[in-house]
């Protein structure tokens, strides 16, 4: 590993600068970019100028930096989760069509739910979830499905550190563990206002050929609507996606 | 710019390696990666190993490299075309719901059409287009709309170099120019089997506050169906997106 420190340093710094945009898609000023990436302003200024030249970053007229078109294009070349997102998309589209609610596809990434896709229309309730984003496993429908089928040490870690996102988030260890057992038993998860006030959710597992849970799909809707009536549609879509994993 | 050559070199090489995956999402072996990026195998091996460590690339069990999850996540932080994709998405979803055909959102990027979004379901006709991908301006519906409203030098370049994608692609300069004038006059473009055999398309412009064409939305369907009957839905969606640009 010796003798490559300069090169590896630049890649690492560049990725650090890009990581700083997580949760800050509206852009960052130079000083903010330095603070969030933990690099000196002079280093960030030089690196950012280089990344702007290569269209990896873009600089807006008000001098804020945003992630640029080239990185977006490169990112779309990824085979996310072995192509799961691509094969799932038509089924998710069917599900959106049948329900007109927010449709989510998520996988577990460590102790969080990673959202691979979100479909929604103008009548769907506004949400914080977005493709590529992460949310807590214990507070969302898809998260509870993924957590219920996670290894025991993951369940233990999440349960021990679960925090309230809203006043309704279930965090009491005994209650959360009983709920996860229930999710495994009945084959779906439901939440009411645990992540976003005014919304509820229902989610089911996506299985691979061995019957292991590899992902979860779910719907998020306004609390005045009944998520239960969409359970059949959700199960049909999950079965369709699961079949492609055989 | 002197004194930073080593660092700039690494970034440039890394981007060159990533660019090699364009059109090759199924993965590349080491030798292919070297050939397509124009770098020596030893350089690519070292760089690829570094990128795999950082989850920018992923190595499959059969030793092919694919673009990894981290790059996908970073790319999704981009504000593509000033947020156009984000504001357009619900309108595109409505359009899909009304038609169940392939829905495209594209902008002009130099002499090509850059696809920002594609929505489709299990009943939509299969296509080569994908978000982040590019297609010729002269051979697609959205491309003809964008070309018709491009600067004169762009039109001249594209018309002079237009190649047949299928036997039906219109490339004869006089005929293509007359067609573009027609697209401007009637406010929409239609194609039949010019890009993909068995499909036809219809597309309309998306305008900014000044009335300039900033994007195009279009539908692609099987030739046995009538694209004309979706023109009204397409225009309503385009008007909705255009309004957000004011």
């Amino acid at each position: 590993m010796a003798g490559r420190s300069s090169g590896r340093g630049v890649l690492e710094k560049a990725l650090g600068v890009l990581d700083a945009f997580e949760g800050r898609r509206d852009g960052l000023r130079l000083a903010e970019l330095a603070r969030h990436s933990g690099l000196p302003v002079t280093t960030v200024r030089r690196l950012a100028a280089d990344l702007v030249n290569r269209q990896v970053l873009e600089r807006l007229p008000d001098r804020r930096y945003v992630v640029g078109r080239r990185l977006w294009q490169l990112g779309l070349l990824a085979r996310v989760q072995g192509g799961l997102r691509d094969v799932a998309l038509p089924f998710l589209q069917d599900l959106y069509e049948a329900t007109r609610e927010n449709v989510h596809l998520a996988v577990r990434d460590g102790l969080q739910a990673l959202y691979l896709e979100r479909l929604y229309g103008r009548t769907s309730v506004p949400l914080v979830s977005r493709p590529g984003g992460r949310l807590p496993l214990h507070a969302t429908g898809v998260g509870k499905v993924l957590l219920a089928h996670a290894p025991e040490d993951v369940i233990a870690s999440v349960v021990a550190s679960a925090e309230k996102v809203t006043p309704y988030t279930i965090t009491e260890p005994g209650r959360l563990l009983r709920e996860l057992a229930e999710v495994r038993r009945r084959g779906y998860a439901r939440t009411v206002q645990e992540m976003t006030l005014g919304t509820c959710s229902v989610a089911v597992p996506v299985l691979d050929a061995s019957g292991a849970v590899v992902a979860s799909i779910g719907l998020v809707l306004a609390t005045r609507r009944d998520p239960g009536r969409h359970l059949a549609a959700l199960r049909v879509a999950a079965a369709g996606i699961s079949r492609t994993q055989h």
Side-chain angles (χ1 to χ4, degrees), chain A:
Chain A
M1 291 289 160
R4 306 205 303 274
S5 58
S6 72
R8 300 180 72 220
V10 167
L11 263 189
E12 184 158 338
K13 285 173 195 164
L15 288 169
V17 163
L18 296 174
D19 281 337
F21 289 92
E22 174 72 47
R24 304 183 187 98
R25 288 178 81 207
D26 285 342
L28 290 169
R29 292 173 194 288
L30 183 63
E32 296 168 317
L33 205 48
R35 190 166 67 246
H36 294 304
S37 64
L39 294 168
V41 169
T42 50
T43 305
V44 171
R45 180 184 286 122
R46 203 173 56 211
L47 197 53
D50 196 5
L51 292 169
V52 167
N53 279 338
R54 300 176 193 288
Q55 298 185 288
V56 172
L57 289 184
E58 192 183 321
R59 196 161 198 195
L60 303 179
D62 67 3
R63 309 185 73 178
R64 277 179 301 137
Y65 293 95
V66 293
V67 173
R69 181 194 274 188
R70 185 167 181 194
L71 197 61
W72 170 75
Q73 286 182 277
L74 288 172
L76 289 171
L77 297 174
R79 283 224 321 185
V80 180
Q81 212 73 15
L84 175 64
R85 185 199 158 276
D86 293 347
V87 300
L89 193 58
F91 295 97
L92 302 179
Q93 194 64 258
D94 292 346
L95 194 54
Y96 171 77
E97 222 182 311
T99 64
R100 305 203 184 186
E101 305 288 1
N102 290 277
V103 176
H104 286 136
L105 169 68
V107 295
R108 186 173 64 81
D109 188 27
L111 302 182
Q112 292 184 296
L114 172 65
Y115 285 72
L116 300 187
E117 191 53 274
R118 175 188 169 202
L119 298 181
Y120 60 100
R122 274 183 307 120
T123 58
S124 314
V125 64
L127 292 180
V128 292
S129 60
R130 60 168 194 81
R134 294 156 196 274
L135 288 176
L137 285 171
H138 70 283
T140 69
V142 288
K144 281 183 205 272
V145 167
L146 296 167
L147 182 59
H149 295 91
E152 274 181 38
D153 59 324
V154 171
I155 296 181
S157 293
V158 171
V159 169
S161 62
E163 292 185 1
K164 283 201 180 293
V165 184
T166 74
Y168 304 101
T169 314
I170 295 170
T171 55
E172 195 271 304
R175 195 173 157 208
L176 188 49
L177 286 169
R178 280 194 301 278
E179 192 194 16
L180 295 176
E182 185 75 353
V183 168
R184 282 188 294 270
R185 193 188 58 74
R186 69 188 177 191
Y188 65 92
R190 280 184 64 162
T191 67
V192 181
Q193 303 200 101
E194 291 194 60
M195 185 70 220
T196 305
L197 292 176
T199 74
C200 59
S201 73
V202 57
V204 300
V206 172
L207 313 176
D208 69 9
S210 73
V213 173
V214 291
S216 174
I217 61 173
L219 296 170
V220 179
L221 45 162
T223 42
R224 67 176 179 279
R225 308 206 188 163
D226 171 24
R229 73 193 181 94
H230 295 313
L231 193 54
L234 204 50
R235 281 179 159 153
V236 169
I241 301 169
S242 297
R243 230 175 352 257
T244 67
Q245 304 294 299
H246 289 186

